[in-house]
Amino acid sequence: MTPHELIDTIFLSDKRERFLLLLLEGPTDIKKSKEHLNVTSSSILPQIKKLREKGLVFKDDEGIYDLTTTGRLIVENLSPLACMLDVFDSKEYYWDTRDMEAIPRHLVENIGQLGEVEVIEPDLDHMYDLQLQLHSNMLKSNYIKCLISFFHPDYVEFFNSLSSAGKNLELIFTGSVMERILAESPSDIQKLIEQENVDIRLFRENDYIPSLIIGDDFTYFCFFNKSHMYDHRDIISFTEGSIEWGTQLFVYYRDLSVPVSSEMLSEIINGSE
């Protein structure tokens, strides 16, 4: 089988690709396969037949399907590519315009870990409101990590309300965002930092890092475009991989940030007066 035939066999059929990835988790029968993939016998059996003909899958005497040795080696190596395609599928217009320079190289190379993502287009009638999908998912979360690189006038007030509701918050602000907050709502940020369930840090090295919000079961990204402008095009993902990937990115910047204490904040405020 030529490389071209291999790619066609796996990626030109969503059912074949999903079935191969299912077998990567272990042998299965047709009943479990149909339930897991949510397909009918008439739709999946022809695809399995093609995979068997190509030597990627075999069926034993008890009707159990498994990957051949060749199939397993191929699928194990193509699995990261399949995940990468889920991230970029029909979303090239978004990724091609994003500034990824501030993302550590090892995370860029592993961006397929995000899995399936949804691009959220700006609502022109509510351009400057907190995005509804983000707002609702944050309210449902108990622990929230935020990396904030662009200013929104409602952020600090919203964080205070989340804190009052008992949510645990880890917040990292870039230098420019902190300056805007101190200029416009110093009392609100002072109130926020005094909460025991809130940890605030300051990142001064680069104002154009992505914004990132991680909740209990979602990850929300706001990447600047290549002109270093925020165009209100965001992505959200609900996969475990996206939470893990986002957490690695958050920890990377947290390690480069400094804690902001109440005393430090008072000094900054008094020094700016």
Side-chain angles (χ1 to χ4, degrees), residues 9 13 18 28 39 82 96-97 118 133 143 152 157 166 181 194 205 224 240 249 252 270:
T9 298
S13 168
R18 290 165 58 208
T28 188
V39 294
D96 285 348
T97 58
E118 175 187 350
Q133 198 168 359
Y143 205 109
H152 192 291
E157 181 181 355
I181 291 173
E194 291 172 355
E205 296 184 26
F224 286 101
E240 292 183 6
L249 182 61
Y252 173 81
N270 294 330

Side-chain angles (χ1 to χ4, degrees), residues 44-176:
I44 192 62
L45 285 174
Q47 308 307 327
I48 295 176
K49 180 182 179 182
K50 177 164 287 191
L51 293 172
R52 293 177 65 190
E53 291 172 347
K54 297 297 183 180
L56 300 176
V57 170
F58 73 91
K59 183 174 74 169
D60 66 16
D61 295 337
E62 297 180 358
I64 302 299
Y65 294 97
D66 200 358
L67 293 168
T68 63
T69 299
T70 300
R72 182 166 299 278
L73 290 171
I74 290 172
V75 177
E76 284 177 346
N77 284 280
L78 288 181
S79 182
L81 176 58
C83 293
M84 187 79 73
L85 293 176
D86 281 340
V87 174
F88 292 99
D89 182 35
S90 304
K91 305 172 186 70
E92 298 89 347
Y93 71 96
Y94 175 81
W95 292 108
D96 285 348
T97 58
R98 297 306 100 181
D99 177 16
M100 305 295 286
E101 292 297 322
I103 307 297
R105 184 65 186 175
H106 72 280
L107 288 178
V108 173
E109 293 174 351
N110 197 31
I111 200 168
Q113 190 175 1
L114 293 179
E116 186 175 354
V117 301
E118 175 187 350
V119 177
I120 299 175
E121 295 288 350
D123 180 349
L124 298 180
D125 293 328
H126 303 279
M127 182 74 78
Y128 299 104
D129 296 343
L130 281 175
Q131 211 283 329
L132 182 60
Q133 198 168 359
L134 171 61
H135 185 277
S136 61
N137 279 286
M138 290 179 76
L139 289 176
K140 292 185 292 185
S141 296
N142 293 309
Y143 205 109
I144 302 166
K145 297 180 177 70
C146 298
L147 176 62
I148 306 298
S149 56
F150 68 90
F151 177 78
H152 192 291
D154 296 334
Y155 265 155
V156 177
E157 181 181 355
F158 184 47
F159 290 148
N160 268 311
S161 68
L162 292 172
S163 172
S164 298
K167 316 290 187 182
N168 294 293
L169 306 177
E170 284 189 74
L171 308 174
I172 302 173
F173 297 104
T174 59
S176 61

Side-chain angles (χ1 to χ4, degrees), residues 5-16:
E5 290 175 326
L6 174 63
I7 291 172
D8 286 353
T9 298
I10 296 176
F11 292 115
L12 288 188
S13 168
D14 178 64
K15 293 184 179 67
R16 291 198 294 267

